[in-house]
Amino acid sequence: MKVSRPHMSLLLAAFLAVLSVAAEAFPVAFSPDVNGTTGKVTAKIPLEKLGSVTIPRGRLKIRGGWAEVSTVQEFQFDHNVVLSGPVLNSQQKVSNGNLEISGLAYFSDGDWLPYLSPAAFEETVKTRGEELTGRILSMDRQEAVILLASGQKKEIPVAQIRDIHSPRAFRFVITGAAPEGVPPGQPYETEASRLSMLQTARQFRVTALRTDLRRRGDGDLTTGQLVAIGSLMSAIEIGQMVPFLVVPLQYNRLHQNAFQREFDIQTNPFAIVSPFGIPSNQIPPPPGIFPSNGYVGPPGR
């Protein structure tokens, strides 16, 4: 089936619109330890929700054993870190061409800490050889200080912690395509397609956080409305490109018609342009211009 040039132009414009929507895929890197299953994660992945709360342009960033949750406030451009803390027990699992990287993020700092837990709460820390109940006073990349239920303080290396049951602890799972051609035990980088985060102990003040986010929005446009407006503006811009695509394709035909009219005028100076679209060479000349004897007499004879 032959496609006309105007239709081809419209198809080309639609193809350009499809190209503007890219598939969501985000790089993630993993550096295995000696055993090959645990290691360090490096990732920067959009975080749409924390629990059941939608985060405005949220992002989870993991690098060097440290995790940060950030968001962009309305009509702003820079990411504001609202939660941060160490990453523990990161592991990888490859199965049927798919990669799964999991770990535990304990948020020990940030403006959103009061939303994760009340002022007084209890935490459970599991190490390789014991289980401790109390409250984590501080935790960095190297060491955790725990206030036990007995009132004593205990210092534990972060590398020995296997699990934490706390409203400030979140298990994350990053899934994507398994790397190809990478020797076992070597660092690699691949594409992640999905991120999930679950709180290990539910004391999340969802209503308070959602209310605060709504208040910070100042009642202006929501993120969904801003995305809709941006999509509409992109469609208008693409529509403005259509004339630039259609006109060049029609130029050749218009140029040929103009050239034909110019040729007719040069070859037949007495050509009459018909308003009904009849070719000039098929219209007989007026009487008296070309007599049968070939002589054109004075006017009036």
Side-chain angles (χ1 to χ4, degrees), residues 18-262:
V18 172
L19 287 181
S20 62
V21 180
E24 291 188 355
F26 313 97
V28 56
F30 190 84
S31 299
D33 293 336
V34 178
N35 56 15
T37 57
T38 61
K40 299 290 185 180
V41 184
T42 301
K44 188 185 295 184
I45 305 178
L47 180 62
E48 297 181 356
K49 286 188 175 182
L50 187 63
S52 60
V53 180
T54 301
I55 303 177
R57 287 179 283 178
R59 184 180 71 185
L60 173 66
K61 179 181 178 181
I62 303 176
R63 186 174 183 180
W66 194 259
E68 292 179 349
V69 172
S70 60
T71 180
V72 179
Q73 296 183 4
E74 196 171 19
F75 302 115
Q76 301 295 323
F77 299 96
D78 298 330
H79 278 265
N80 179 35
V81 178
V82 294
L83 293 171
S84 62
V87 176
L88 305 88
N89 198 23
S90 299
Q91 300 184 13
Q92 66 170 349
K93 180 181 178 182
V94 179
S95 177
N96 297 326
N98 297 321
L99 173 68
E100 180 180 288
I101 299 177
S102 61
L104 184 70
Y106 182 84
F107 297 117
S108 56
D109 192 15
D111 296 337
W112 283 11
L113 279 184
Y115 298 118
L116 299 184
S117 61
F121 61 97
E122 189 176 77
E123 299 171 302
T124 302
V125 179
K126 296 181 180 180
T127 66
R128 295 178 179 178
E130 58 183 343
E131 182 175 313
L132 306 174
T133 301
R135 174 77 179 275
I136 300 176
L137 299 179
S138 64
M139 182 182 294
D140 54 22
R141 292 178 173 86
Q142 304 297 330
E143 189 178 66
V145 180
I146 304 175
L147 178 62
L148 301 178
S150 61
Q152 297 179 348
K153 292 183 180 180
K154 188 169 185 178
E155 299 176 354
I156 300 177
V158 171
Q160 295 184 5
I161 299 177
R162 302 271 67 85
D163 195 12
I164 300 177
H165 187 77
S166 168
R168 297 184 176 183
F170 285 76
R171 290 191 181 92
F172 65 86
V173 178
I174 302 172
T175 56
E180 297 181 0
V182 179
Q186 296 297 318
Y188 60 83
E189 182 175 338
T190 185
E191 296 291 332
S193 56
R194 185 174 180 272
L195 166 68
S196 63
M197 293 187 67
L198 296 176
Q199 195 175 20
T200 61
R202 292 187 174 275
Q203 290 180 340
F204 196 179
R205 299 173 58 200
V206 175
T207 304
L209 178 57
R210 187 178 288 120
T211 302
D212 185 64
L213 290 175
R214 189 181 300 113
R215 179 179 58 83
R216 294 184 182 185
D218 295 330
D220 292 326
L221 297 177
T222 63
T223 302
Q225 291 171 334
L226 292 175
V227 172
I229 293 175
S231 301
L232 178 61
M233 294 179 64
S234 299
I236 294 175
E237 292 178 355
I238 294 175
Q240 293 175 347
M241 296 175 57
V242 173
F244 296 97
L245 299 174
V246 175
V247 172
L249 295 177
Q250 298 294 330
Y251 174 76
N252 289 336
R253 184 174 63 84
L254 297 176
H255 180 70
Q256 291 176 359
N257 293 340
F259 182 80
Q260 182 64 41
R261 287 195 296 270
E262 182 68 19

